[in-house]
Amino acid sequence: MSMTVLRKHVNILNGFNKVKQQTEDTSEGNMKHLKLGKIQWIALLVVSAMFVNLCSHMVLAAARDGNDPAQGTTAEATTASEATTEATTASEATTETTTEQQEETQSMGEYKAFWFSFYDYDSYRAKYKKRTAANFRTYFTGVVKKGKSLGMNRVIVQVRPFGDAIYKSKYFPWSKYISGKQGRNPGFDPLKIMVEVAHDNDMKIEAWVNPYRVTTGSTNYKKLAKNNQARKWHAKKSTRRNVLSYGGSLYYNPSKKAVRTLITNGVKEIVQNYDVDGIHMDDYFYPSFTKRNVKKAFDAKEYNKSSYKKKSIYTYRRAQVNTLVKQMKKAVKSVDPNVSYGISPAGNIDNLTSKYSYYVDIYKWLNSTEYVDYICPQVYWGFKHPTAKFNKVTDRWIKAAKSKKVKLYIGIAVYRAGHNVGQNRAERKEWKSDTKVLKKQVQYARKKYVDGFAFFDYQDLKSKTSAKAVNQLKTVLK
């Protein structure tokens, strides 16, 4: 029964009760002043009975006439319990529809990005033996269209993975990941093409840089291009400590002003020369130390000569990162205030605030407008993780960002979906078998009103292994 018919029935019955009450009141009043004869009493009872019968027919007629035409059936007398059941069902359907509408509305304004990393360029180079601007445009058009088909509205392209450049730069050498050898010109400008393709397809694009990393697994300066600033600095004794060797890799020294200037200039030239929508920095800050070497290794020499000597080396290192981050945002905004600047740190807040790694002053960044426009933690665990459950970690980030001074996006690990990975049997089963794991993560974070998501990474969004989970993910992004 429709709610309209139900209300119609109630109104009729209310009318009957009102008339009945008036009749009873009148009869009672007359009884006080009149003594009716037997015939009069009989007549009065007959009239009352006729009135009740008339009202009953009116109720049934209303039920027949008021039947919902969408049902295509004739309504019989509907009991109060049936009416209540139908009203409850209608309420549940309305609630479900409202929830779907809220999710759809929320999705429309969301930041829905995917990362395109340096090894995604390898797949381009593997596909085309002869690499040209035309076939790179074709390749990247496919990348953007894939993202669009999944409901994405932004792509984060890595343009400086190892102190190099996947664009024409006057500060950094060409990256080997686009040309095959560091310093070799690929013959076209990849970032220029990527910006054009993204915007032509109504997708925003951010340029992703790694600030300090020069190499991984090698400390051989001769393998760097001759115009690599790290190699040039290392060649001179006066600037040798601008680059540090640690754990078998090379890093720019966070304590050096010349390093901060180089990194900032590299970001500034991107915003000046390319119509990017954002600058994105990832989680590679300081490397990890041990209790034994934390006060001796890396930039400890600079710390010992600094004004921070009376403070801890942990405070000193956080200050070095803070200075760079603040300087970078200022540089970006000085060129174009509309370009966003954000960082995607590791997902475990305890690691970020540790005395032995990263030195990311995350609470300061989240509670100030001077450092970043957004934070996108890499919450790369499942709901079944023994100590870092997705929901618990996400809740902690939401609490940390409660000032709302910066936007909070959640980084999601597409690369784990469909794979037998995890810290325990339950989490491994979740990633391997639960095809809705990515969808559930988005839905959970949406209920907490985060500002958006970023998905790692492009190769996994199109892989067969993660296909089922990605198809489910698509249903809540489109």
Side-chain angles (χ1 to χ4, degrees):
M1 178 187 289
S2 70
M3 295 301 294
T4 303
V5 174
L6 186 61
R7 286 194 294 269
K8 193 172 181 181
H9 288 183
V10 172
N11 291 337
I12 291 171
L13 289 172
N14 286 341
F16 164 70
N17 288 333
K18 185 176 180 181
V19 173
K20 184 174 181 289
Q21 183 63 47
Q22 289 173 345
T23 303
E24 290 173 351
D25 292 344
T26 303
S27 298
E28 185 178 352
N30 287 340
M31 285 291 290
K32 292 178 181 178
H33 303 288
L34 297 173
K35 290 184 179 180
L36 299 176
K38 185 182 293 186
I39 296 176
Q40 290 172 310
W41 270 111
I42 293 171
L44 180 60
L45 290 172
V46 170
V47 170
S48 297
M50 291 174 63
F51 181 77
V52 171
N53 186 52
L54 175 62
C55 287
S56 298
H57 281 286
M58 290 173 64
V59 171
L60 290 175
R64 286 192 298 269
D65 295 340
N67 184 52
D68 188 349
Q71 301 300 321
T73 60
T74 303
E76 300 296 335
T78 305
T79 63
S81 64
E82 288 173 332
T84 302
T85 301
E86 292 186 16
T88 302
T89 302
S91 176
E92 290 173 349
T94 301
T95 301
E96 185 177 344
T97 301
T98 302
T99 302
E100 290 175 354
Q101 289 173 341
Q102 286 174 342
E103 284 193 359
E104 185 176 349
T105 301
Q106 204 171 349
S107 174
M108 288 174 65
E110 276 180 342
Y111 176 105
K112 294 178 287 188
F114 65 101
W115 279 287
F116 183 83
S117 72
F118 68 88
Y119 50 76
D120 291 319
Y121 297 106
D122 283 341
S123 64
Y124 158 70
R125 291 174 54 246
K127 186 174 182 178
Y128 297 98
K129 290 184 178 180
K130 185 178 180 180
R131 299 164 203 117
T132 65
N135 58 36
F136 182 76
R137 183 180 294 273
T138 298
Y139 175 79
F140 195 71
T141 298
V143 171
V144 170
K145 288 188 178 296
K146 177 62 178 180
K148 290 281 288 185
S149 73
L150 297 174
M152 308 291 180
N153 55 25
R154 189 173 294 243
V155 57
I156 303 169
V157 296
Q158 194 160 23
V159 297
R160 186 176 307 129
F162 295 95
D164 49 7
I166 302 177
Y167 64 93
K168 188 177 181 180
S169 172
K170 65 180 180 180
Y171 301 105
F172 298 94
W174 282 105
S175 174
K176 70 177 183 178
Y177 293 100
I178 190 63
S179 66
K181 182 179 179 180
Q182 189 177 93
R184 179 189 294 163
N185 189 330
F188 57 92
D189 190 331
L191 183 54
K192 180 177 183 294
I193 292 172
M194 290 189 287
V195 169
E196 291 172 354
V197 170
H199 289 166
D200 286 346
N201 287 276
D202 298 318
M203 181 173 280
K204 292 187 177 182
I205 183 169
E206 295 188 23
W208 164 18
V209 300
N210 185 294
Y212 299 129
R213 186 174 63 188
V214 178
T215 65
T216 294
S218 172
T219 57
N220 188 346
Y221 285 89
K222 291 182 179 180
K223 289 184 178 181
L224 301 178
K226 289 182 179 180
N227 65 334
N228 190 311
Q229 190 61 57
R231 183 172 177 173
K232 290 196 290 184
W233 274 339
H234 179 72
K236 294 182 180 180
K237 188 176 181 179
S238 61
T239 56
R240 190 162 292 168
R241 283 196 59 81
N242 286 356
V243 187
L244 301 174
S245 174
Y246 180 79
S249 301
L250 296 176
Y251 300 85
Y252 280 118
N253 188 342
S255 294
K256 294 294 187 177
K257 183 178 179 180
V259 166
R260 291 194 291 272
T261 299
L262 173 69
I263 295 169
T264 302
N265 284 341
V267 164
K268 197 171 182 179
E269 74 173 350
I270 293 173
V271 182
Q272 288 172 331
N273 299 334
Y274 302 90
D275 188 22
V276 295
D277 299 289
I279 294 293
H280 180 90
M281 209 156 74
D282 62 10
D283 63 333
Y284 287 92
F285 293 99
Y286 274 84
S288 296
F289 304 104
T290 65
K291 197 171 184 178
R292 181 175 294 181
N293 73 0
V294 67
K295 295 180 180 180
K296 300 176 182 178
F298 211 61
D299 60 348
K301 187 174 182 179
E302 282 73 29
Y303 160 70
N304 288 323
K305 293 180 179 180
S306 75
S307 60
Y308 279 80
K309 187 67 175 67
K310 294 180 181 180
K311 299 180 182 180
S312 70
I313 194 169
Y314 324 121
T315 302
Y316 170 79
R317 285 173 173 159
R318 289 188 190 104
Q320 305 316 303
V321 176
N322 283 344
T323 300
L324 174 66
V325 170
K326 193 173 185 178
Q327 188 173 311
M328 286 179 70
K329 182 177 181 183
K330 187 176 180 180
V332 169
K333 301 298 181 179
S334 70
V335 178
D336 188 344
N338 295 317
V339 172
S340 65
Y341 172 57
I343 294 177
S344 179
N348 190 326
I349 291 178
D350 290 335
N351 288 345
L352 296 179
T353 57
S354 165
K355 293 180 178 181
Y356 305 108
S357 61
Y358 293 109
Y359 302 103
V360 169
D361 203 345
I362 193 62
Y363 291 109
K364 178 172 282 189
W365 297 357
L366 286 169
N367 290 283
S368 171
T369 58
E370 295 183 346
Y371 294 92
V372 294
D373 294 313
Y374 71 80
I375 288 290
C376 181
Q378 299 166 24
V379 187
Y380 289 170
W381 305 286
F383 291 99
K384 305 293 184 181
H385 191 282
T387 58
K389 291 176 173 56
F390 177 86
N391 51 316
K392 298 297 183 182
V393 175
T394 298
D395 287 350
R396 190 174 178 187
W397 277 102
I398 291 166
K399 185 178 180 181
K402 64 183 179 180
S403 72
K404 300 292 184 182
K405 290 187 177 181
V406 303
K407 291 186 180 298
L408 177 65
Y409 308 139
I410 299 297
I412 291 180
V414 181
Y415 73 93
R416 288 177 172 260
H419 294 272
N420 189 34
V421 293
Q423 289 298 304
N424 57 13
R425 178 183 290 183
E427 193 193 12
R428 286 192 290 272
K429 182 179 179 181
E430 178 182 25
W431 285 115
K432 176 71 174 176
S433 305
D434 187 354
T435 58
K436 294 184 180 180
V437 61
L438 303 176
K439 177 180 178 179
K440 288 175 183 176
Q441 290 183 346
V442 168
Q443 289 175 321
Y444 181 84
R446 269 189 188 156
K447 288 178 183 177
K448 301 290 183 171
Y449 297 100
V450 301
D451 298 296
F453 304 91
F455 301 91
F456 193 84
D457 100 311
Y458 170 67
Q459 290 295 331
D460 303 288
L461 286 170
K462 67 184 188 69
S463 78
K464 291 182 179 179
T465 306
S466 59
K468 290 182 179 179
V470 170
N471 286 337
Q472 286 293 324
L473 173 65
K474 179 180 176 180
T475 65
V476 289
L477 294 184
K478 290 288 282 183

